[in-house]
Each structure stands twice: as C-alpha cells, then as structure tokens.
C-alpha cells in the first residue's frame, strides 16, 4: 500500500566525503516524510573501467526494479552539471519517466564551461531526461534562469544547503574571548573542501607562502581529500612551507575542533553550488573569504560576512587576508554577524522544513 509522501532519495553513500553527503546527513533527523535512500556509485576508491561499467549497469537495473516494485510518491535526484554526473544521472531520470514515477531534480553543482560546451548542444537529450522532472531545485538564481532558457517551464525553487546541526550547539567563540589573539596577528586559517585545483587550494597556498614572510605566526589548516592531495603535499614540501597542517577528511568532533581552533575560513573556488562548508564556517563564527560564485553571490555581504576575492587571483586573496590580519576588531564583528545569520537561515530544521514543503507541492501538482 502506498504511504503518504514516500520519498526515494538518490544519492552517494552518506559515509563517503562530499557536499551532497554532508547535506543529507545533516537533514536525516529532521524529515517527517517516509524517506528511503538509493545509494549509487563506488564504495571503493579504486575501480577499473570494466568494474565501473558493471557497477553502473547494476545501479540502473536495481533502480529500475525498485521503482517497478514499490510505489514511491516522489524520487529526488541529485545531479551536478558536470560531465560525469550529467550523463550518469540522466539515465536515472529516464528510468523515472519510464516507470511513470514523479521526480524532483536538485542541481547541486553547476560548471558553466561544461554547460556552454556540452549542454547547450544537447538540449534534446536534456529535455528527454531531466526536462521531464516535475520540479527542480537550484542553489543560485542564475542556475534557475538558465533552466528557463532551456525551455523548462515547471516550478523551479531556489533553496539553500545546510550547516551540520552540531555547529548550532557550539558556544560562541566570542563570548569569553578578547581580541588579544587577533591583535597578536597569530591567526589560524582553515581551508576545508575537496582537495582539487578548482577549489582554489593552490591560490590559498600561494597566498599563505607570501603572507608568511610578513606574519611569521600565522598558520593554515587544510582539511579534505581529493585528486590533488598528493600534489599539494609535494607543493608544501618543495616550498618548505612552515605552519601548514594537513588534516585529511574530517567529520564529527575532528571537524568541530578544526573550526573552533581556526579564525578565518578560506574558499577561493572557481565554481560552486552553495558549499555547506561556507555555511558551517559562518555558524562557527568565522569570517569567510571566498569567490562570488553560484549561490554565494545571492546572499554574501562583502565586508560584512568577510571578503569576496577575484577568482584565480592569489594576489587579491593575499590582500584580503592582510586586511583581516591588520583589522583584528573586524574578526569578532564579522564572526558574530555570521553566527546570527546562519542561525536564522541554515539550520537543518529550517532547510528540512522547506524541502518537505516543496516535496508536498510537487506531489500534489
């Protein structure tokens, strides 16, 4: 028998690193609907091409059988607009259409270079797969505007990602803290993301190398894993950078500790949807230095929440970091503002409630 609002969420395994995993892990305890997950993708980092193909066919077949055998109110797909996700997940969208199952598509990432080179030349395929969705979710206004250009006429909702609930249980780092540490210019900077070139990791390292000559006591924490991790380790060794700590992929108390021990969050990314790490940094009371990309540009207040920097520009990044170091009073002012802003908009309760409201509207339409 069909239960009211029975939702199947198609997502990567929540025990693996990634923004989608962080998003759904944070919302798990805040759903009122009957939620089930279909986990796709590798459970092992090392796969041959043959194993990848076999796994893909198994995922498609298992997904098809699931939709044929169970009556779901809605399937929630979570693609990104990049070469791997766009084509892989379009087949899952086609299966939803084949089985006459309602679907909502949540675009988590959006690579404009891929969109210009590929998607615009494949609009027929887009319309045959994702274009059949009953509604779509986006993290930035510009993504929704582009969907309309594609000819998508059904509801498009702009939503936000979420900060891990553990950040809202933290005592404000400014309650019993003076600005003495900030005035001493012994600041700790945090970069937490996938370790990839497109996330701006090399701009962070170049800026840190430059500023370390001026401010000997600053330190940098780098958290995450990814394809550039070994190259980043080599870069640090070759440059003999002092004061850089590589934390690897961290969760739970380790993650809380990294944010609590840091003073400023850095993410000079080349492109984003709306990274959970930025919201978590705000919830933890850190000023944020980031680029004006994706959903960040729709809410971020430059010189209030932190600073916006030019993409692929380590000099501009250095200048903004220098402004933070040389204006210690601003750290507390920005940090307190970010805590209040995050509590009003990025809690799992608020984000989960809005998502379920959209589920209900999509199912009823």
């Amino acid at each position: 028998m069909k239960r009211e609002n029975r939702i199947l969420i198609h997502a990567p395994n929540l025990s693996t690193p990634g923004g989608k995993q962080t998003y759904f892990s944070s919302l798990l305890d805040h759903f009122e609907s009957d939620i089930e997950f279909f986990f796709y993708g590798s459970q092992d980092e090392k796969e041959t091409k043959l194993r990848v193909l076999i796994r893909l066919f198994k995922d498609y077949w298992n997904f098809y059988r699931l939709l044929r055998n169970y009556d779901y109110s809605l399937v929630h797909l979570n693609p990104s607009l990049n070469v791997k996700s766009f084509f892989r997940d379009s087949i899952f969208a086609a299966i939803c259409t084949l089985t006459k199952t309602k679907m909502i598509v949540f675009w988590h990432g959006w690579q404009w270079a891929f969109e210009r080179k590929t998607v615009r030349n494949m609009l027929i395929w887009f319309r045959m797969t994702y274009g059949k969705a009953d509604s779509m979710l986006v993290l930035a206004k510009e993504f929704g505007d582009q969907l309309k250009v594609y000819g998508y006429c059904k509801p498009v909702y702009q939503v936000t990602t979420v900060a891990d609930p553990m950040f809202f249980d933290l005592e404000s780092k400014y309650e019993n803290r003076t600005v003495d540490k900030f005035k001493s210019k012994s600041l700790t900077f945090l970069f937490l993301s996938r370790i990839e070139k497109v996330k701006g990791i090399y701009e962070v390292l170049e800026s840190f190398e430059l500023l370390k000559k001026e401010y000997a006591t600053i330190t940098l924490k780098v958290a995450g894993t990814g394809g550039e991790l070994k190259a980043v380790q080599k870069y640090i060794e070759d440059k003999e950078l002092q004061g850089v700590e590589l934390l690897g992929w961290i969760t739970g108390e380790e993650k809380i500790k990294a944010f609590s021990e840091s003073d400023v969050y850095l993410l000079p990314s080349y492109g984003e949807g709306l990274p959970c790490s930025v919201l978590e940094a705000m919830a933890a009371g850190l000023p944020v230095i980031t680029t004006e990309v994706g959903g960040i540009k729709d809410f971020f207040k430059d010189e209030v929440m932190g600073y916006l920097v030019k993409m692929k520009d380590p000099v501009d990044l250095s200048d903004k970091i220098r402004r933070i170091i040389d204006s210690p009073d601003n750290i507390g002012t920005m940090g307190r503002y970010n805590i209040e802003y995050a509590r009003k908009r990025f809690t799992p309760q608020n984000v989960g409630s809005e998502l379920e409201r959209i589920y209900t509207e999509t199912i009823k339409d």
Side-chain angles (χ1 to χ4, degrees):
M1 179 180 293
K2 181 174 180 178
R3 290 174 282 179
E4 186 176 1
N5 285 17
R6 188 181 185 189
I7 315 296
L8 181 66
I9 297 177
H10 169 270
N13 193 307
L14 303 189
S15 65
T16 58
K20 297 174 189 177
Q21 296 90 317
T22 298
Y23 175 81
F24 285 113
S25 294
S26 298
L27 295 181
L28 276 179
D29 295 331
H30 302 278
F31 284 121
E32 293 185 6
S33 299
D34 183 2
I35 301 292
E36 298 174 32
F37 282 88
F38 179 89
F39 295 132
Y40 65 85
S42 173
Q43 310 306 313
D44 182 355
E45 290 185 1
K46 297 180 180 179
E47 278 190 319
T48 64
K49 290 182 179 180
L50 178 59
R51 285 188 64 187
V52 170
L53 287 174
I54 293 172
R55 174 178 51 76
L56 275 173
F57 280 115
K58 284 184 177 179
D59 282 350
Y60 294 143
W61 176 244
N62 290 335
F63 188 70
Y64 171 77
R65 289 179 60 195
L66 195 62
L67 296 193
R68 286 296 302 269
N69 294 330
Y70 297 93
D71 197 3
Y72 291 101
S73 309
L74 185 70
V75 169
H76 177 158
L77 299 181
N78 294 281
S80 293
L81 206 70
N82 58 49
V83 63
K84 180 180 179 181
S85 180
F86 178 82
F87 292 107
R88 178 198 63 207
D89 295 344
S90 68
I91 304 301
F92 290 107
I95 292 171
C96 288
T97 301
L98 180 64
T99 57
K100 298 181 180 179
T101 306
K102 282 197 169 189
M103 67 172 156
I104 186 168
V105 172
F106 186 169
W107 295 100
H108 286 261
W110 194 284
Q111 291 185 1
W112 283 107
F114 173 75
E115 190 274 336
R116 288 189 292 268
K117 291 179 181 178
T118 307
V119 180
R120 294 185 189 184
N121 297 317
M122 296 189 64
L123 285 182
I124 292 177
W125 180 249
F126 179 91
R127 290 165 181 162
M128 289 172 57
T129 55
Y130 297 115
K132 301 295 184 181
D134 296 276
S135 65
M136 292 195 186
L137 306 176
V138 295
L139 293 169
K141 181 180 181 299
E142 61 182 348
F143 303 163
D145 291 342
Q146 192 60 36
L147 291 173
K148 294 176 184 177
V149 172
Y150 295 163
Y152 185 76
C153 299
K154 293 182 180 179
V156 176
Y157 302 92
Q158 184 176 346
V159 295
T160 179
T161 47
V162 65
D164 192 304
M166 61 186 177
F167 286 97
F168 296 103
D169 295 329
L170 293 177
E171 180 182 349
S172 172
K173 64 197 310 174
Y174 303 105
E175 290 297 328
N176 301 305
R177 186 173 183 178
T178 68
V179 296
D180 289 346
K181 178 191 175 184
F182 304 146
K183 288 182 178 179
S184 72
K185 302 184 178 180
S186 299
L187 299 185
T188 297
F189 297 88
L190 175 65
F191 174 93
L192 184 149
S193 181
R194 285 187 294 110
I195 309 300
E196 306 288 353
K197 181 179 179 180
V198 295
K199 294 296 184 178
I201 180 59
Y202 291 109
E203 284 78 7
V204 168
L205 292 173
E206 287 180 41
S207 297
F208 183 78
E209 180 184 8
L210 177 64
L211 291 166
K212 189 70 172 174
K213 298 173 184 176
E214 301 176 46
Y215 309 97
T217 56
I218 62 172
T219 57
L220 171 66
K221 294 179 184 290
V222 176
T225 186
E228 287 291 307
L229 181 57
K230 289 184 178 179
V232 164
Q233 291 172 327
K234 187 175 186 304
Y235 183 99
I236 294 170
E237 291 171 3
D238 291 347
K239 296 286 187 177
E240 298 181 348
L241 281 180
Q242 301 298 311
V244 181
E245 183 181 6
L246 295 177
L247 303 177
W249 178 44
I250 56 175
T251 59
E253 291 302 319
E254 287 184 308
K255 191 175 181 182
I256 286 288
K257 185 172 182 285
F259 277 100
S260 297
E261 292 179 350
S262 301
D263 303 300
V264 181
Y265 181 68
L266 309 175
L267 188 69
S269 179
Y270 302 176
E272 293 289 342
L274 182 57
C276 294
S277 61
V278 167
L279 312 190
E280 290 172 347
M282 294 177 66
L286 274 63
V288 174
I289 300 180
T290 188
T291 41
E292 194 175 19
V293 293
I296 294 172
K297 70 171 65 175
D298 291 327
F299 81 90
F300 195 88
K301 299 177 182 178
D302 192 23
E303 300 188 5
V304 176
M305 297 174 170
Y307 294 106
L308 292 172
V309 296
K310 299 172 185 175
M311 194 185 304
K312 304 180 184 180
D313 192 337
V315 174
D316 188 39
L317 178 58
S318 299
D319 289 343
K320 297 300 169 56
I321 293 175
R322 190 179 288 107
R323 288 179 66 178
I324 284 272
I325 296 173
D326 291 341
S327 304
D329 291 341
N330 286 345
I331 296 175
T333 302
M334 291 175 173
R336 292 186 187 94
Y337 183 92
N338 286 351
I339 290 172
E340 291 303 311
Y341 191 94
R343 288 186 179 277
K344 290 177 182 177
R345 292 168 175 82
F346 304 140
T347 64
Q349 294 89 339
N350 290 342
V351 174
S353 175
E354 175 64 7
L355 182 59
E356 290 207 274
R357 182 189 69 80
I358 295 170
Y359 284 164
T360 300
E361 287 187 4
T362 302
I363 291 167
K364 288 181 178 179
D365 286 346

